[in-house]
Amino acid sequence: MVPAADFSSSSRPISLIGLDRNELEAWLLALGEPPSTVRMRARQIFHWLYARGARDPEAMTTLPKDLRRRLAHEASLARPTIVAEQQSRDGTRKWLLRFADGQEVETVFIPEEDRGALCLSTQVGCTLSCRFCHTGTMPLVRNLKAGEILAQVLVARDALGDWPSAREGRQITNIVIMGMGEPLFNYEATKAAIKLALDGEGLAFSRRRITLSTSGVVPRIEPWGREVGTGLAISLHAVRDELRDELVPINRKWPIAELLAACRAYPGRRPITFEYVMLRGVNDSDADARELVRLLRGIPAKVNLIPFNPWPGSPFECSSESRIRSFAAIVEEGGYPSPIRTPRGRDVLAACGQLKTSSRREPRLRTTVAALS
Ligand code: SAH
Ligand code: SF4
């Protein structure tokens, strides 16, 4: 196979994180590795990077000494810097990460009894501006590169001591692409990162345990299903176009009917998750719940009811518990499981976008590790 990347003019040291085996091969060839061994060396390095979590070429003990030395000079295995870390009473951990150019994103780990989900960011900020979302108040600064999306998994595994990748009892079992940004507006980088996460010789995540959440970038939904094939979550939040136009403005471009048609055509037979944030007096009536059931007819689905997580200055309130319960009852009766998500990490503002913004307002947070448990 012809290697995709041309490393002849790359600046040094080059970050190896985010390179797949073909790209590693191309880079090793450019470094002078003989063609006869390049395949094996790329495979070994891949294993050290993603299966073992090596942070230093010296740890790659299956490589010859001189190659390790060259790697130390020419390659970087550096992770983004952890600028702040918070741990919630419920075990949720949240890291604010800074990349080499100073841009920051956050990554959240949510442990449950028998599994743990890592929530990844794909952009610094977001081009969309959903009214209830804190990330939506930040302008898009840039897309993350594949290596920067993937490095979030490595940092979390480092912090949790969760290496090697393929073993019983690993803490991070699931990935949810639900952090900052709209992943389908950073399609190629997100795809490259998730393909690497799925590689059985590397991070070894199971396709069934990765879910991409989108606000509804309709033309990208089918390609994602075909080319990557993870679970799909849709940020629906409203059942009428007039309201969804306001709450999730991308709806003006791709309205509910088009979005649901894309869901019906999504490759694979797994249920699609519909996320529905409960906003008091806005989208939480019994009539809304009945309309939701009607809209979803024919789509294998589950509805996640998310209590609205308020942030300073947010224009909404969360629905009452009893309102959420009666909404859930109608959706359940209509044949769709509708778990009410327990708010996680509220004491560390784990709703997307909040650590980043609070660190801006309160510079001291940058250097403190606030363990609140
Ligand atoms: N951009 C993608 C993925 C990131 S947002 C998307 O919109 O799907 C991940 C989920 O968190 C979305 O369902 C979003 O609607 C929800 N969310 C954002 N802000 C929230 C808040 N303040 N309270 C509860 N859920 C929120
Ligand atoms: Fe962007 Fe998703 Fe937030 Fe909307 S909900 S502003 S798409 S991150």
Side-chain angles (χ1 to χ4, degrees):
M1 180 182 266
V2 180
D6 169 16
F7 293 100
S8 49
S9 58
S10 303
S11 58
R12 289 182 174 142
I14 181 178
S15 172
L16 295 192
I17 295 166
L19 300 190
D20 64 20
R21 263 184 291 250
N22 288 330
E23 290 165 335
L24 277 173
E25 279 182 33
W27 178 73
L28 284 166
L29 275 175
L31 199 67
E33 183 68 22
S36 56
T37 51
V38 79
R39 198 163 199 167
M40 173 178 71
R41 296 296 174 226
R43 204 168 162 181
Q44 287 171 318
I45 294 172
F46 189 89
H47 175 83
W48 282 110
L49 288 179
Y50 303 123
R52 305 287 294 271
R55 304 182 65 172
D56 177 353
E58 270 315 302
M60 300 184 175
T61 48
T62 52
L63 298 182
K65 268 210 169 104
D66 62 318
L67 180 56
R68 277 187 257 162
R69 209 169 308 126
R70 296 206 65 184
L71 288 182
H73 279 112
E74 308 279 344
S76 160
L77 314 186
R79 279 52 165 147
T81 313
I82 298 180
V83 185
E85 176 177 356
Q86 296 185 314
Q87 182 159 359
S88 161
R89 273 179 279 271
D90 66 16
T92 300
R93 289 176 74 164
K94 175 157 157 167
W95 298 278
L96 178 65
L97 305 180
R98 184 186 297 153
F99 298 107
D101 68 351
Q103 295 302 336
E104 295 170 353
V105 296
E106 55 198 31
T107 304
V108 183
F109 173 64
I110 305 155
E112 281 172 38
E113 235 158 68
D114 52 349
R115 59 191 189 146
L118 189 68
C119 178
L120 301 183
S121 294
T122 53
Q123 298 182 312
V124 181
C126 190
T127 44
L128 303 172
S129 43
C130 303
R131 291 268 308 282
F132 49 84
C133 172
H134 210 207
T135 305
T137 65
M138 305 172 199
L140 176 76
V141 180
R142 68 171 173 87
N143 282 330
L144 295 190
K145 294 179 239 162
E148 294 171 330
I149 298 171
L150 199 67
Q152 297 171 59
V153 183
L154 307 188
V155 168
R157 281 240 164 106
D158 292 344
L160 296 166
D162 199 27
W163 296 105
S165 293
R167 61 174 219 287
E168 285 292 305
R170 56 200 255 184
Q171 294 183 66
I172 305 175
T173 55
N174 292 47
I175 289 178
V176 291
I177 310 165
M178 292 186 183
M180 293 165 58
E182 169 48 59
L184 295 184
F185 278 152
N186 187 13
Y187 188 90
E188 291 301 332
T190 305
K191 175 174 132 184
I194 296 305
K195 288 223 157 186
L196 281 167
L198 287 168
D199 194 306
E201 288 184 33
L203 288 160
F205 280 90
S206 139
R207 198 167 255 105
R208 287 179 299 111
R209 290 175 174 266
I210 301 184
T211 303
L212 174 128
S213 174
T214 179
S215 57
V217 185
V218 165
R220 291 286 179 188
I221 290 177
E222 188 275 335
W224 180 267
R226 183 166 33 83
E227 295 173 5
V228 192
T230 68
L232 179 68
I234 299 287
S235 295
L236 190 64
H237 307 315
V239 291
R240 285 170 288 114
D241 281 324
E242 307 80 70
L243 179 60
R244 196 164 188 270
D245 282 350
E246 290 305 312
L247 295 180
V248 187
I250 199 177
N251 195 69
R252 293 177 201 160
K253 187 149 194 190
W254 292 296
I256 294 173
E258 287 182 33
L259 179 56
L260 294 181
C263 292
R264 286 196 168 83
Y266 191 69
R269 264 189 250 139
R270 266 177 311 158
I272 291 174
T273 304
F274 287 87
E275 294 157 281
Y276 198 95
V277 64
M278 298 301 293
L279 304 171
R280 185 192 294 259
V282 175
N283 64 354
D284 61 352
S285 71
D286 286 353
D288 289 319
R290 283 192 291 270
E291 178 61 9
L292 180 57
V293 170
R294 198 189 66 78
L295 285 175
L296 296 186
R297 206 160 286 153
I299 305 176
K302 150 179 141 178
V303 178
N304 273 346
L305 298 177
I306 315 170
F308 171 62
N309 210 343
W311 35 273
S314 56
F316 299 107
E317 282 174 66
C318 183
S319 312
S320 69
E321 250 184 82
S322 62
R323 181 89 298 274
I324 300 178
R325 272 201 302 272
S326 76
F327 192 101
I330 293 170
V331 180
E332 295 264 352
E333 214 160 280
Y336 295 99
S338 58
I340 301 167
R341 307 314 294 188
T342 342
R344 299 295 302 265
R346 271 212 168 155
D347 49 346
V348 297
L349 294 174
C352 70
Q354 299 193 354
L355 177 61
K356 187 172 150 73
T357 329
S358 61
S359 95
R360 220 174 250 155
R361 227 176 300 117
E362 177 48 83
R364 269 174 305 152
L365 230 179
R366 287 169 181 275
T367 48
T368 21
V369 173
L372 301 176
S373 56

